[in-house]
Amino acid sequence: YGDHRDLHLSIRRQRQMCIRDRTYLVGKIQIERLMTDRAMDLGEGFTLNGFMDEINQVGLIPASMMYWEMTGDDEHLHEMLYN
């Protein structure tokens, strides 16, 4: 009985890790897209330090909301809410 329970807990942990890893990957892609778009918007005025300061100012929120907060473009927010 104990081995069966341990196996069940191990499988649950593995599934949670896979979900977490995918979430991190999606967030990474969204942040990279935001950084690219900000660099294009700001041109020569873009710096990585400035970008990181902007991220820290908007706080710990989903990347789609960061995008909206930093660019004013709510396309990603609509995708998240309505798709």
PDB file of all heavy atoms in Angstrom, residues 3-37:
ATOM      1  N   ASP A   3       3.936   1.667  -1.158  1.00  0.00           N
ATOM      2  CA  ASP A   3       4.606   1.856  -2.446  1.00  0.00           C
ATOM      3  C   ASP A   3       3.660   2.457  -3.479  1.00  0.00           C
ATOM      4  O   ASP A   3       4.059   3.304  -4.275  1.00  0.00           O
ATOM      5  CB  ASP A   3       5.151   0.526  -2.972  1.00  0.00           C
ATOM      6  CG  ASP A   3       6.333   0.026  -2.159  1.00  0.00           C
ATOM      7  OD1 ASP A   3       6.962   0.853  -1.467  1.00  0.00           O
ATOM      8  OD2 ASP A   3       6.608  -1.180  -2.221  1.00  0.00           O
ATOM      9  N   HIS A   4       2.410   2.014  -3.459  1.00  0.00           N
ATOM     10  CA  HIS A   4       1.402   2.534  -4.386  1.00  0.00           C
ATOM     11  C   HIS A   4       1.179   4.030  -4.132  1.00  0.00           C
ATOM     12  O   HIS A   4       1.099   4.822  -5.079  1.00  0.00           O
ATOM     13  CB  HIS A   4       0.086   1.758  -4.235  1.00  0.00           C
ATOM     14  CG  HIS A   4      -1.004   2.252  -5.129  1.00  0.00           C
ATOM     15  ND1 HIS A   4      -0.961   2.091  -6.492  1.00  0.00           N
ATOM     16  CD2 HIS A   4      -2.148   2.916  -4.846  1.00  0.00           C
ATOM     17  CE1 HIS A   4      -2.036   2.635  -7.030  1.00  0.00           C
ATOM     18  NE2 HIS A   4      -2.781   3.130  -6.052  1.00  0.00           N
ATOM     19  N   ARG A   5       1.089   4.408  -2.872  1.00  0.00           N
ATOM     20  CA  ARG A   5       0.879   5.827  -2.530  1.00  0.00           C
ATOM     21  C   ARG A   5       2.095   6.664  -2.944  1.00  0.00           C
ATOM     22  O   ARG A   5       1.953   7.757  -3.474  1.00  0.00           O
ATOM     23  CB  ARG A   5       0.620   5.965  -1.034  1.00  0.00           C
ATOM     24  CG  ARG A   5       0.286   7.364  -0.638  1.00  0.00           C
ATOM     25  CD  ARG A   5      -0.242   7.439   0.764  1.00  0.00           C
ATOM     26  NE  ARG A   5      -0.638   8.807   1.031  1.00  0.00           N
ATOM     27  CZ  ARG A   5      -0.344   9.450   2.130  1.00  0.00           C
ATOM     28  NH1 ARG A   5       0.314   8.842   3.098  1.00  0.00           N
ATOM     29  NH2 ARG A   5      -0.718  10.682   2.294  1.00  0.00           N
ATOM     30  N   ASP A   6       3.293   6.146  -2.704  1.00  0.00           N
ATOM     31  CA  ASP A   6       4.510   6.857  -3.103  1.00  0.00           C
ATOM     32  C   ASP A   6       4.561   7.049  -4.614  1.00  0.00           C
ATOM     33  O   ASP A   6       4.950   8.115  -5.101  1.00  0.00           O
ATOM     34  CB  ASP A   6       5.763   6.100  -2.646  1.00  0.00           C
ATOM     35  CG  ASP A   6       5.936   6.117  -1.141  1.00  0.00           C
ATOM     36  OD1 ASP A   6       5.312   6.972  -0.470  1.00  0.00           O
ATOM     37  OD2 ASP A   6       6.698   5.268  -0.632  1.00  0.00           O
ATOM     38  N   LEU A   7       4.160   6.030  -5.358  1.00  0.00           N
ATOM     39  CA  LEU A   7       4.134   6.126  -6.813  1.00  0.00           C
ATOM     40  C   LEU A   7       3.141   7.202  -7.254  1.00  0.00           C
ATOM     41  O   LEU A   7       3.447   8.010  -8.132  1.00  0.00           O
ATOM     42  CB  LEU A   7       3.765   4.783  -7.429  1.00  0.00           C
ATOM     43  CG  LEU A   7       3.667   4.750  -8.954  1.00  0.00           C
ATOM     44  CD1 LEU A   7       5.005   5.114  -9.582  1.00  0.00           C
ATOM     45  CD2 LEU A   7       3.208   3.375  -9.418  1.00  0.00           C
ATOM     46  N   HIS A   8       1.973   7.214  -6.633  1.00  0.00           N
ATOM     47  CA  HIS A   8       0.953   8.212  -6.960  1.00  0.00           C
ATOM     48  C   HIS A   8       1.478   9.626  -6.700  1.00  0.00           C
ATOM     49  O   HIS A   8       1.311  10.527  -7.528  1.00  0.00           O
ATOM     50  CB  HIS A   8      -0.318   7.947  -6.149  1.00  0.00           C
ATOM     51  CG  HIS A   8      -1.404   8.939  -6.394  1.00  0.00           C
ATOM     52  ND1 HIS A   8      -2.135   8.964  -7.559  1.00  0.00           N
ATOM     53  CD2 HIS A   8      -1.872   9.948  -5.623  1.00  0.00           C
ATOM     54  CE1 HIS A   8      -3.005   9.950  -7.505  1.00  0.00           C
ATOM     55  NE2 HIS A   8      -2.870  10.554  -6.335  1.00  0.00           N
ATOM     56  N   LEU A   9       2.136   9.826  -5.568  1.00  0.00           N
ATOM     57  CA  LEU A   9       2.696  11.149  -5.242  1.00  0.00           C
ATOM     58  C   LEU A   9       3.805  11.533  -6.219  1.00  0.00           C
ATOM     59  O   LEU A   9       3.910  12.689  -6.623  1.00  0.00           O
ATOM     60  CB  LEU A   9       3.218  11.161  -3.805  1.00  0.00           C
ATOM     61  CG  LEU A   9       2.156  11.116  -2.717  1.00  0.00           C
ATOM     62  CD1 LEU A   9       2.816  10.968  -1.350  1.00  0.00           C
ATOM     63  CD2 LEU A   9       1.274  12.347  -2.757  1.00  0.00           C
ATOM     64  N   SER A  10       4.604  10.562  -6.617  1.00  0.00           N
ATOM     65  CA  SER A  10       5.680  10.824  -7.573  1.00  0.00           C
ATOM     66  C   SER A  10       5.112  11.250  -8.934  1.00  0.00           C
ATOM     67  O   SER A  10       5.611  12.188  -9.554  1.00  0.00           O
ATOM     68  CB  SER A  10       6.542   9.579  -7.723  1.00  0.00           C
ATOM     69  OG  SER A  10       7.547   9.791  -8.671  1.00  0.00           O
ATOM     70  N   ILE A  11       4.081  10.560  -9.386  1.00  0.00           N
ATOM     71  CA  ILE A  11       3.444  10.916 -10.659  1.00  0.00           C
ATOM     72  C   ILE A  11       2.844  12.307 -10.573  1.00  0.00           C
ATOM     73  O   ILE A  11       2.986  13.117 -11.498  1.00  0.00           O
ATOM     74  CB  ILE A  11       2.381   9.863 -11.040  1.00  0.00           C
ATOM     75  CG1 ILE A  11       3.054   8.546 -11.408  1.00  0.00           C
ATOM     76  CG2 ILE A  11       1.504  10.368 -12.186  1.00  0.00           C
ATOM     77  CD1 ILE A  11       2.111   7.383 -11.561  1.00  0.00           C
ATOM     78  N   ARG A  12       2.191  12.628  -9.467  1.00  0.00           N
ATOM     79  CA  ARG A  12       1.605  13.964  -9.284  1.00  0.00           C
ATOM     80  C   ARG A  12       2.684  15.038  -9.332  1.00  0.00           C
ATOM     81  O   ARG A  12       2.532  16.056  -9.981  1.00  0.00           O
ATOM     82  CB  ARG A  12       0.855  14.037  -7.962  1.00  0.00           C
ATOM     83  CG  ARG A  12       0.267  15.424  -7.730  1.00  0.00           C
ATOM     84  CD  ARG A  12      -0.318  15.580  -6.371  1.00  0.00           C
ATOM     85  NE  ARG A  12      -1.637  14.987  -6.345  1.00  0.00           N
ATOM     86  CZ  ARG A  12      -2.365  14.866  -5.251  1.00  0.00           C
ATOM     87  NH1 ARG A  12      -1.884  15.261  -4.104  1.00  0.00           N
ATOM     88  NH2 ARG A  12      -3.559  14.340  -5.306  1.00  0.00           N
ATOM     89  N   ARG A  13       3.818  14.798  -8.662  1.00  0.00           N
ATOM     90  CA  ARG A  13       4.912  15.776  -8.673  1.00  0.00           C
ATOM     91  C   ARG A  13       5.461  15.978 -10.081  1.00  0.00           C
ATOM     92  O   ARG A  13       5.746  17.102 -10.488  1.00  0.00           O
ATOM     93  CB  ARG A  13       6.030  15.318  -7.743  1.00  0.00           C
ATOM     94  CG  ARG A  13       5.954  15.968  -6.391  1.00  0.00           C
ATOM     95  CD  ARG A  13       7.170  15.658  -5.541  1.00  0.00           C
ATOM     96  NE  ARG A  13       6.716  14.772  -4.478  1.00  0.00           N
ATOM     97  CZ  ARG A  13       7.116  13.528  -4.279  1.00  0.00           C
ATOM     98  NH1 ARG A  13       8.051  12.998  -5.028  1.00  0.00           N
ATOM     99  NH2 ARG A  13       6.629  12.805  -3.309  1.00  0.00           N
ATOM    100  N   GLN A  14       5.606  14.894 -10.825  1.00  0.00           N
ATOM    101  CA  GLN A  14       6.114  14.983 -12.193  1.00  0.00           C
ATOM    102  C   GLN A  14       5.177  15.806 -13.075  1.00  0.00           C
ATOM    103  O   GLN A  14       5.629  16.637 -13.870  1.00  0.00           O
ATOM    104  CB  GLN A  14       6.296  13.584 -12.792  1.00  0.00           C
ATOM    105  CG  GLN A  14       7.466  12.828 -12.237  1.00  0.00           C
ATOM    106  CD  GLN A  14       8.793  13.461 -12.613  1.00  0.00           C
ATOM    107  OE1 GLN A  14       8.934  14.101 -13.648  1.00  0.00           O
ATOM    108  NE2 GLN A  14       9.780  13.299 -11.745  1.00  0.00           N
ATOM    109  N   ARG A  15       3.874  15.590 -12.946  1.00  0.00           N
ATOM    110  CA  ARG A  15       2.898  16.368 -13.734  1.00  0.00           C
ATOM    111  C   ARG A  15       2.977  17.837 -13.371  1.00  0.00           C
ATOM    112  O   ARG A  15       2.938  18.709 -14.249  1.00  0.00           O
ATOM    113  CB  ARG A  15       1.483  15.843 -13.495  1.00  0.00           C
ATOM    114  CG  ARG A  15       1.175  14.605 -14.236  1.00  0.00           C
ATOM    115  CD  ARG A  15      -0.283  14.249 -14.235  1.00  0.00           C
ATOM    116  NE  ARG A  15      -1.037  14.815 -13.142  1.00  0.00           N
ATOM    117  CZ  ARG A  15      -2.029  14.219 -12.500  1.00  0.00           C
ATOM    118  NH1 ARG A  15      -2.394  13.020 -12.854  1.00  0.00           N
ATOM    119  NH2 ARG A  15      -2.676  14.819 -11.536  1.00  0.00           N
ATOM    120  N   GLN A  16       3.082  18.136 -12.090  1.00  0.00           N
ATOM    121  CA  GLN A  16       3.169  19.531 -11.660  1.00  0.00           C
ATOM    122  C   GLN A  16       4.434  20.187 -12.194  1.00  0.00           C
ATOM    123  O   GLN A  16       4.410  21.345 -12.603  1.00  0.00           O
ATOM    124  CB  GLN A  16       3.118  19.622 -10.137  1.00  0.00           C
ATOM    125  CG  GLN A  16       1.767  19.303  -9.560  1.00  0.00           C
ATOM    126  CD  GLN A  16       1.779  19.197  -8.041  1.00  0.00           C
ATOM    127  OE1 GLN A  16       2.822  19.035  -7.422  1.00  0.00           O
ATOM    128  NE2 GLN A  16       0.602  19.269  -7.456  1.00  0.00           N
ATOM    129  N   MET A  17       5.545  19.439 -12.209  1.00  0.00           N
ATOM    130  CA  MET A  17       6.790  19.993 -12.740  1.00  0.00           C
ATOM    131  C   MET A  17       6.668  20.287 -14.227  1.00  0.00           C
ATOM    132  O   MET A  17       7.156  21.311 -14.700  1.00  0.00           O
ATOM    133  CB  MET A  17       7.953  19.041 -12.452  1.00  0.00           C
ATOM    134  CG  MET A  17       8.381  19.036 -11.002  1.00  0.00           C
ATOM    135  SD  MET A  17       9.610  17.790 -10.540  1.00  0.00           S
ATOM    136  CE  MET A  17      10.735  17.758 -11.887  1.00  0.00           C
ATOM    137  N   CYS A  18       6.009  19.405 -14.976  1.00  0.00           N
ATOM    138  CA  CYS A  18       5.832  19.634 -16.416  1.00  0.00           C
ATOM    139  C   CYS A  18       4.995  20.886 -16.662  1.00  0.00           C
ATOM    140  O   CYS A  18       5.319  21.693 -17.539  1.00  0.00           O
ATOM    141  CB  CYS A  18       5.155  18.434 -17.065  1.00  0.00           C
ATOM    142  SG  CYS A  18       6.221  17.002 -17.206  1.00  0.00           S
ATOM    143  N   ILE A  19       3.938  21.053 -15.901  1.00  0.00           N
ATOM    144  CA  ILE A  19       3.080  22.237 -16.044  1.00  0.00           C
ATOM    145  C   ILE A  19       3.867  23.490 -15.693  1.00  0.00           C
ATOM    146  O   ILE A  19       3.823  24.490 -16.408  1.00  0.00           O
ATOM    147  CB  ILE A  19       1.810  22.102 -15.182  1.00  0.00           C
ATOM    148  CG1 ILE A  19       0.917  21.001 -15.760  1.00  0.00           C
ATOM    149  CG2 ILE A  19       1.074  23.427 -15.093  1.00  0.00           C
ATOM    150  CD1 ILE A  19      -0.219  20.599 -14.847  1.00  0.00           C
ATOM    151  N   ARG A  20       4.627  23.441 -14.597  1.00  0.00           N
ATOM    152  CA  ARG A  20       5.424  24.598 -14.181  1.00  0.00           C
ATOM    153  C   ARG A  20       6.443  24.957 -15.250  1.00  0.00           C
ATOM    154  O   ARG A  20       6.607  26.125 -15.610  1.00  0.00           O
ATOM    155  CB  ARG A  20       6.121  24.290 -12.850  1.00  0.00           C
ATOM    156  CG  ARG A  20       6.920  25.478 -12.327  1.00  0.00           C
ATOM    157  CD  ARG A  20       7.934  25.079 -11.289  1.00  0.00           C
ATOM    158  NE  ARG A  20       8.913  24.205 -11.910  1.00  0.00           N
ATOM    159  CZ  ARG A  20       9.568  23.257 -11.258  1.00  0.00           C
ATOM    160  NH1 ARG A  20       9.335  23.026  -9.998  1.00  0.00           N
ATOM    161  NH2 ARG A  20      10.455  22.511 -11.884  1.00  0.00           N
ATOM    162  N   ASP A  21       7.126  23.950 -15.790  1.00  0.00           N
ATOM    163  CA  ASP A  21       8.139  24.209 -16.812  1.00  0.00           C
ATOM    164  C   ASP A  21       7.528  24.848 -18.055  1.00  0.00           C
ATOM    165  O   ASP A  21       8.104  25.773 -18.638  1.00  0.00           O
ATOM    166  CB  ASP A  21       8.868  22.917 -17.182  1.00  0.00           C
ATOM    167  CG  ASP A  21       9.731  22.382 -16.050  1.00  0.00           C
ATOM    168  OD1 ASP A  21       9.959  23.120 -15.067  1.00  0.00           O
ATOM    169  OD2 ASP A  21      10.169  21.224 -16.151  1.00  0.00           O
ATOM    170  N   ARG A  22       6.362  24.381 -18.471  1.00  0.00           N
ATOM    171  CA  ARG A  22       5.686  24.975 -19.634  1.00  0.00           C
ATOM    172  C   ARG A  22       5.288  26.414 -19.341  1.00  0.00           C
ATOM    173  O   ARG A  22       5.395  27.285 -20.209  1.00  0.00           O
ATOM    174  CB  ARG A  22       4.457  24.161 -20.013  1.00  0.00           C
ATOM    175  CG  ARG A  22       4.786  22.868 -20.658  1.00  0.00           C
ATOM    176  CD  ARG A  22       3.540  22.129 -21.063  1.00  0.00           C
ATOM    177  NE  ARG A  22       3.886  20.763 -21.408  1.00  0.00           N
ATOM    178  CZ  ARG A  22       3.078  19.752 -21.292  1.00  0.00           C
ATOM    179  NH1 ARG A  22       1.849  19.933 -20.856  1.00  0.00           N
ATOM    180  NH2 ARG A  22       3.461  18.545 -21.616  1.00  0.00           N
ATOM    181  N   THR A  23       4.813  26.658 -18.143  1.00  0.00           N
ATOM    182  CA  THR A  23       4.419  28.013 -17.759  1.00  0.00           C
ATOM    183  C   THR A  23       5.619  28.953 -17.813  1.00  0.00           C
ATOM    184  O   THR A  23       5.531  30.065 -18.320  1.00  0.00           O
ATOM    185  CB  THR A  23       3.799  28.010 -16.352  1.00  0.00           C
ATOM    186  OG1 THR A  23       2.653  27.153 -16.358  1.00  0.00           O
ATOM    187  CG2 THR A  23       3.383  29.395 -15.915  1.00  0.00           C
ATOM    188  N   TYR A  24       6.764  28.502 -17.290  1.00  0.00           N
ATOM    189  CA  TYR A  24       7.978  29.314 -17.352  1.00  0.00           C
ATOM    190  C   TYR A  24       8.387  29.598 -18.797  1.00  0.00           C
ATOM    191  O   TYR A  24       8.798  30.711 -19.122  1.00  0.00           O
ATOM    192  CB  TYR A  24       9.142  28.629 -16.624  1.00  0.00           C
ATOM    193  CG  TYR A  24       9.027  28.601 -15.129  1.00  0.00           C
ATOM    194  CD1 TYR A  24       9.754  27.697 -14.381  1.00  0.00           C
ATOM    195  CD2 TYR A  24       8.200  29.484 -14.436  1.00  0.00           C
ATOM    196  CE1 TYR A  24       9.674  27.663 -13.004  1.00  0.00           C
ATOM    197  CE2 TYR A  24       8.108  29.446 -13.065  1.00  0.00           C
ATOM    198  CZ  TYR A  24       8.850  28.541 -12.346  1.00  0.00           C
ATOM    199  OH  TYR A  24       8.771  28.505 -10.995  1.00  0.00           O
ATOM    200  N   LEU A  25       8.289  28.586 -19.655  1.00  0.00           N
ATOM    201  CA  LEU A  25       8.663  28.753 -21.053  1.00  0.00           C
ATOM    202  C   LEU A  25       7.753  29.771 -21.746  1.00  0.00           C
ATOM    203  O   LEU A  25       8.238  30.657 -22.458  1.00  0.00           O
ATOM    204  CB  LEU A  25       8.622  27.417 -21.789  1.00  0.00           C
ATOM    205  CG  LEU A  25       8.995  27.462 -23.261  1.00  0.00           C
ATOM    206  CD1 LEU A  25      10.416  27.975 -23.445  1.00  0.00           C
ATOM    207  CD2 LEU A  25       8.849  26.077 -23.877  1.00  0.00           C
ATOM    208  N   VAL A  26       6.457  29.676 -21.526  1.00  0.00           N
ATOM    209  CA  VAL A  26       5.516  30.624 -22.126  1.00  0.00           C
ATOM    210  C   VAL A  26       5.810  32.034 -21.616  1.00  0.00           C
ATOM    211  O   VAL A  26       5.862  32.992 -22.398  1.00  0.00           O
ATOM    212  CB  VAL A  26       4.053  30.222 -21.834  1.00  0.00           C
ATOM    213  CG1 VAL A  26       3.098  31.336 -22.207  1.00  0.00           C
ATOM    214  CG2 VAL A  26       3.704  28.945 -22.586  1.00  0.00           C
ATOM    215  N   GLY A  27       6.039  32.175 -20.315  1.00  0.00           N
ATOM    216  CA  GLY A  27       6.375  33.486 -19.754  1.00  0.00           C
ATOM    217  C   GLY A  27       7.655  34.049 -20.349  1.00  0.00           C
ATOM    218  O   GLY A  27       7.735  35.240 -20.661  1.00  0.00           O
ATOM    219  N   LYS A  28       8.655  33.200 -20.527  1.00  0.00           N
ATOM    220  CA  LYS A  28       9.922  33.626 -21.121  1.00  0.00           C
ATOM    221  C   LYS A  28       9.699  34.161 -22.536  1.00  0.00           C
ATOM    222  O   LYS A  28      10.211  35.221 -22.906  1.00  0.00           O
ATOM    223  CB  LYS A  28      10.905  32.458 -21.154  1.00  0.00           C
ATOM    224  CG  LYS A  28      12.216  32.752 -21.854  1.00  0.00           C
ATOM    225  CD  LYS A  28      13.063  31.484 -21.950  1.00  0.00           C
ATOM    226  CE  LYS A  28      14.354  31.707 -22.681  1.00  0.00           C
ATOM    227  NZ  LYS A  28      14.197  31.791 -24.127  1.00  0.00           N
ATOM    228  N   ILE A  29       8.904  33.433 -23.318  1.00  0.00           N
ATOM    229  CA  ILE A  29       8.616  33.856 -24.690  1.00  0.00           C
ATOM    230  C   ILE A  29       7.881  35.192 -24.687  1.00  0.00           C
ATOM    231  O   ILE A  29       8.189  36.087 -25.484  1.00  0.00           O
ATOM    232  CB  ILE A  29       7.818  32.764 -25.427  1.00  0.00           C
ATOM    233  CG1 ILE A  29       8.706  31.539 -25.666  1.00  0.00           C
ATOM    234  CG2 ILE A  29       7.251  33.289 -26.745  1.00  0.00           C
ATOM    235  CD1 ILE A  29       7.946  30.290 -26.096  1.00  0.00           C
ATOM    236  N   GLN A  30       6.914  35.357 -23.788  1.00  0.00           N
ATOM    237  CA  GLN A  30       6.158  36.606 -23.719  1.00  0.00           C
ATOM    238  C   GLN A  30       7.055  37.779 -23.315  1.00  0.00           C
ATOM    239  O   GLN A  30       6.943  38.873 -23.874  1.00  0.00           O
ATOM    240  CB  GLN A  30       4.995  36.472 -22.743  1.00  0.00           C
ATOM    241  CG  GLN A  30       3.902  35.568 -23.249  1.00  0.00           C
ATOM    242  CD  GLN A  30       2.818  35.352 -22.213  1.00  0.00           C
ATOM    243  OE1 GLN A  30       3.061  35.335 -21.005  1.00  0.00           O
ATOM    244  NE2 GLN A  30       1.594  35.181 -22.692  1.00  0.00           N
ATOM    245  N   ILE A  31       7.945  37.562 -22.362  1.00  0.00           N
ATOM    246  CA  ILE A  31       8.863  38.629 -21.931  1.00  0.00           C
ATOM    247  C   ILE A  31       9.834  38.980 -23.059  1.00  0.00           C
ATOM    248  O   ILE A  31      10.126  40.162 -23.287  1.00  0.00           O
ATOM    249  CB  ILE A  31       9.625  38.220 -20.654  1.00  0.00           C
ATOM    250  CG1 ILE A  31       8.662  38.053 -19.478  1.00  0.00           C
ATOM    251  CG2 ILE A  31      10.724  39.224 -20.323  1.00  0.00           C
ATOM    252  CD1 ILE A  31       7.979  39.317 -19.023  1.00  0.00           C
ATOM    253  N   GLU A  32      10.321  37.982 -23.782  1.00  0.00           N
ATOM    254  CA  GLU A  32      11.219  38.263 -24.905  1.00  0.00           C
ATOM    255  C   GLU A  32      10.502  39.065 -25.989  1.00  0.00           C
ATOM    256  O   GLU A  32      11.099  39.969 -26.584  1.00  0.00           O
ATOM    257  CB  GLU A  32      11.774  36.960 -25.482  1.00  0.00           C
ATOM    258  CG  GLU A  32      12.804  36.317 -24.590  1.00  0.00           C
ATOM    259  CD  GLU A  32      13.279  34.973 -25.087  1.00  0.00           C
ATOM    260  OE1 GLU A  32      12.619  34.376 -25.966  1.00  0.00           O
ATOM    261  OE2 GLU A  32      14.315  34.498 -24.586  1.00  0.00           O
ATOM    262  N   ARG A  33       9.245  38.750 -26.238  1.00  0.00           N
ATOM    263  CA  ARG A  33       8.476  39.509 -27.233  1.00  0.00           C
ATOM    264  C   ARG A  33       8.279  40.953 -26.759  1.00  0.00           C
ATOM    265  O   ARG A  33       8.427  41.892 -27.533  1.00  0.00           O
ATOM    266  CB  ARG A  33       7.132  38.841 -27.467  1.00  0.00           C
ATOM    267  CG  ARG A  33       6.310  39.558 -28.513  1.00  0.00           C
ATOM    268  CD  ARG A  33       5.039  38.816 -28.805  1.00  0.00           C
ATOM    269  NE  ARG A  33       4.273  39.535 -29.810  1.00  0.00           N
ATOM    270  CZ  ARG A  33       3.079  39.187 -30.199  1.00  0.00           C
ATOM    271  NH1 ARG A  33       2.495  38.119 -29.700  1.00  0.00           N
ATOM    272  NH2 ARG A  33       2.440  39.890 -31.106  1.00  0.00           N
ATOM    273  N   LEU A  34       7.977  41.111 -25.488  1.00  0.00           N
ATOM    274  CA  LEU A  34       7.817  42.453 -24.924  1.00  0.00           C
ATOM    275  C   LEU A  34       9.120  43.238 -25.039  1.00  0.00           C
ATOM    276  O   LEU A  34       9.121  44.401 -25.442  1.00  0.00           O
ATOM    277  CB  LEU A  34       7.374  42.358 -23.464  1.00  0.00           C
ATOM    278  CG  LEU A  34       7.330  43.660 -22.667  1.00  0.00           C
ATOM    279  CD1 LEU A  34       6.389  44.670 -23.308  1.00  0.00           C
ATOM    280  CD2 LEU A  34       6.913  43.379 -21.230  1.00  0.00           C
ATOM    281  N   MET A  35      10.231  42.593 -24.720  1.00  0.00           N
ATOM    282  CA  MET A  35      11.522  43.278 -24.797  1.00  0.00           C
ATOM    283  C   MET A  35      11.824  43.693 -26.233  1.00  0.00           C
ATOM    284  O   MET A  35      12.270  44.818 -26.486  1.00  0.00           O
ATOM    285  CB  MET A  35      12.643  42.381 -24.264  1.00  0.00           C
ATOM    286  CG  MET A  35      13.985  43.069 -24.229  1.00  0.00           C
ATOM    287  SD  MET A  35      15.265  42.153 -23.345  1.00  0.00           S
ATOM    288  CE  MET A  35      15.374  40.670 -24.313  1.00  0.00           C
ATOM    289  N   THR A  36      11.558  42.827 -27.186  1.00  0.00           N
ATOM    290  CA  THR A  36      11.778  43.146 -28.598  1.00  0.00           C
ATOM    291  C   THR A  36      10.909  44.322 -29.031  1.00  0.00           C
ATOM    292  O   THR A  36      11.398  45.259 -29.680  1.00  0.00           O
ATOM    293  CB  THR A  36      11.470  41.916 -29.470  1.00  0.00           C
ATOM    294  OG1 THR A  36      12.349  40.854 -29.094  1.00  0.00           O
ATOM    295  CG2 THR A  36      11.650  42.221 -30.942  1.00  0.00           C
ATOM    296  N   ASP A  37       9.628  44.285 -28.651  1.00  0.00           N
ATOM    297  CA  ASP A  37       8.726  45.366 -29.035  1.00  0.00           C
ATOM    298  C   ASP A  37       9.111  46.686 -28.383  1.00  0.00           C
ATOM    299  O   ASP A  37       9.038  47.748 -29.011  1.00  0.00           O
ATOM    300  CB  ASP A  37       7.274  45.004 -28.700  1.00  0.00           C
ATOM    301  CG  ASP A  37       6.725  43.918 -29.621  1.00  0.00           C
ATOM    302  OD1 ASP A  37       7.398  43.577 -30.615  1.00  0.00           O
ATOM    303  OD2 ASP A  37       5.626  43.412 -29.335  1.00  0.00           O
TER     304      ASP A  37
END
